[in-house]
Amino acid sequence: MAFRTILGFIVPLVCCSAVLAEEIRLNPSHPDRYTVAEGDTLWDISGKFLKNPGQWPLLWSHNNQIRNPHLIYPGDTIYFSVVNGQPRLSFSPTEAAAVSPSAGPCVLNEADIKNGRTSFALSPEGKLQPCIRESATAKAVQLIPAEAIQKFLSLPRVLGENELNQAPYIVDIAGEHLIAGNGDKVYARAIEQPDSLTYAVYREGDILRNPTTEEVLGYEAKYIADLTLQEPGDPATLTITQAKSEILAGDRVLPTSEEEVVLNYFPEPPEASIKGNIIGVLDGVTQIGRYNVVVIDKGIFDGLKTGHELDIYQRGKIASDPYSPVKNDAVQMPDEYAGKLMVFRPFERVSYALVMQAQRDIHVLDKVQSPE
């Protein structure tokens, strides 16, 4: 059964004059048209037309038909053209004639999109009216695959010194169970005046350090399970609602994070000049590639925000020079561009970031910096 979605003709981008003045760098091999496929992201689609997909707001804003790129769907065909010197994307190969007023509600169906409909309802004042989009249960195209970062949006945490060690901890499992699972009760020390009814179990993870100065930037807390508070006290009684792995005595208990979760991302370079390093990779990955999540040694303190994009450079190796007149001479090879990442969860001194592009192998300790 088809369903209807209200499609308002609102441009969700507010660009300053400096951004609008930025030169759009087109992909030399861009197609004249592209049909959106299942699994495509806005980043993927923009990369077919742009040399730097991070400039996608500039390209998508110069059009009369695709007012909200977050509301395009698999099966839509996008056409590229240049009008009055500005690159433009549209749903039809040629711009339509004038739009005439129309009575009654505006309904946009799949056939209209495929046929390149450009006539929409106008108000008596000549303004575009909202349209009802009727479509099958197709999922709108996302900028990035949400599943790549979903589990990292709130569960792992980076804490300050002694913050985890001072938290309540699991002291025992109810019912003489050796291993606790969903629905089982556990006891935790010192939750007498609870701040929340939902808690999570964490275990000490890696110490995050600046690779150059060895300064401690934070302490990783690895997520173990979710709990619901049944009875406060010392010990408090909690029930396991979801467990990722085995709960052990001594595991720490923290109130569920109430961080704001951002679902829509608008990649842009940071305002400040950033130079940092990849200091870790999440989810047990050993080889870093596209859509892997990494930890970088820069955070809110350094000016990073959600959506900031950085270039990745593979750190140049030191090569011995057997032909040099200097004994045991060695040469530092230059760093090589390796891809791009986008920050999606900044902490005070470190950030979680998603690798958006990977043109060569990426490793822990490779460099990151503001785009040139």
Side-chain angles (χ1 to χ4, degrees):
M1 178 182 294
F3 68 89
R4 292 184 173 183
T5 338
I6 299 298
L7 173 59
F9 290 89
I10 303 174
V11 179
L13 305 170
V14 180
C15 298
C16 63
S17 58
V19 172
L20 290 174
E22 183 181 347
E23 180 183 358
I24 299 178
R25 295 181 292 171
L26 296 176
N27 183 341
S29 58
H30 69 79
D32 293 329
R33 69 174 70 182
Y34 179 72
T35 300
V36 181
E38 287 285 349
D40 276 346
T41 64
L42 287 181
W43 187 277
D44 296 330
I45 298 169
S46 299
K48 297 181 184 299
F49 298 98
L50 296 172
K51 190 172 182 180
N52 177 8
Q55 290 187 308
W56 69 272
L58 299 178
L59 178 62
W60 293 92
S61 64
H62 291 303
N63 68 80
N64 293 329
Q65 297 174 339
I66 307 175
R67 295 288 178 163
N68 188 344
H70 286 286
L71 296 179
I72 61 175
Y73 294 79
D76 291 350
T77 297
I78 300 167
Y79 296 85
F80 177 87
S81 61
V82 178
V83 179
N84 296 326
Q86 292 290 354
R88 179 171 295 179
L89 298 176
S90 63
F91 285 134
S92 61
T94 56
E95 293 289 333
V99 180
S100 58
S102 173
C106 171
V107 178
L108 184 65
N109 57 41
E110 297 297 323
D112 291 332
I113 297 171
K114 292 179 180 179
N115 294 331
R117 173 182 170 180
T118 58
S119 177
F120 299 97
L122 295 178
S123 69
E125 294 79 21
K127 297 182 179 180
L128 283 169
Q129 295 279 62
C131 252
I132 299 172
R133 176 166 184 154
E134 186 178 75
S135 67
T137 55
K139 188 177 181 181
V141 172
Q142 303 169 313
L143 173 64
I144 60 175
E147 62 274 10
I149 64 172
Q150 187 172 12
K151 60 184 175 182
F152 302 113
L153 289 174
S154 60
L155 296 181
R157 297 170 71 168
V158 176
L159 306 174
E161 185 177 8
N162 295 324
E163 191 173 349
L164 189 62
N165 292 336
Q166 294 174 355
Y169 57 88
I170 302 294
V171 67
D172 198 7
I173 300 171
E176 299 183 356
H177 292 294
L178 296 178
I179 299 176
N182 292 351
D184 289 337
K185 292 181 180 180
V186 295
Y187 301 115
R189 292 298 307 269
I191 307 181
E192 300 177 85
Q193 297 180 335
D195 298 323
S196 173
L197 294 178
T198 58
Y199 287 79
V201 180
Y202 291 92
R203 190 172 299 152
E204 184 176 329
D206 296 331
I207 299 176
L208 303 174
R209 300 177 184 273
N210 181 297
T212 303
T213 64
E214 290 295 315
E215 177 189 5
V216 174
L217 305 176
Y219 298 82
E220 183 184 30
K222 292 184 177 180
Y223 164 77
I224 303 299
D226 290 326
L227 305 175
T228 300
L229 181 65
Q230 300 298 318
E231 188 69 35
D234 185 17
T237 304
L238 305 100
T239 299
I240 303 169
T241 55
Q242 179 176 322
K244 178 184 177 182
S245 59
E246 179 185 355
I247 297 175
L248 304 175
D251 286 342
R252 299 290 169 166
V253 178
L254 294 172
T256 300
S257 172
E258 296 183 357
E259 298 175 35
E260 180 181 355
V261 175
V262 178
L263 298 178
N264 290 323
Y265 299 91
F266 298 93
E268 60 178 355
E271 293 81 4
S273 176
I274 301 291
K275 290 187 177 181
N277 306 276
I278 295 174
I279 59 173
V281 56
L282 300 183
D283 215 20
V285 175
T286 55
Q287 293 187 343
I288 304 172
R290 189 184 187 206
Y291 295 155
N292 286 147
V293 175
V294 298
V295 186
I296 62 174
D297 61 354
K298 299 295 176 183
I300 298 170
F301 177 83
D302 306 286
L304 282 182
K305 300 177 182 178
T306 299
H308 278 166
E309 63 174 4
L310 299 172
D311 288 341
I312 306 170
Y313 282 84
Q314 188 183 79
R315 189 178 290 269
K317 65 180 182 180
I318 298 176
S320 60
D321 182 2
Y323 306 103
S324 172
V326 179
K327 186 177 180 180
N328 298 325
D329 197 5
V331 182
Q332 174 70 58
M333 297 294 105
D335 301 331
E336 295 288 346
Y337 177 80
K340 284 185 178 292
L341 58 75
M342 184 194 73
V343 172
F344 67 87
R345 193 178 174 201
F347 298 94
E348 186 63 23
R349 301 296 301 276
V350 301
S351 297
Y352 290 168
L354 182 69
V355 176
M356 303 290 288
Q357 291 179 344
Q359 296 186 4
R360 59 178 65 231
D361 293 339
I362 298 171
H363 310 89
V364 172
L365 299 184
D366 279 348
K367 299 178 180 180
V368 297
Q369 65 180 52
S370 302
E372 296 180 351

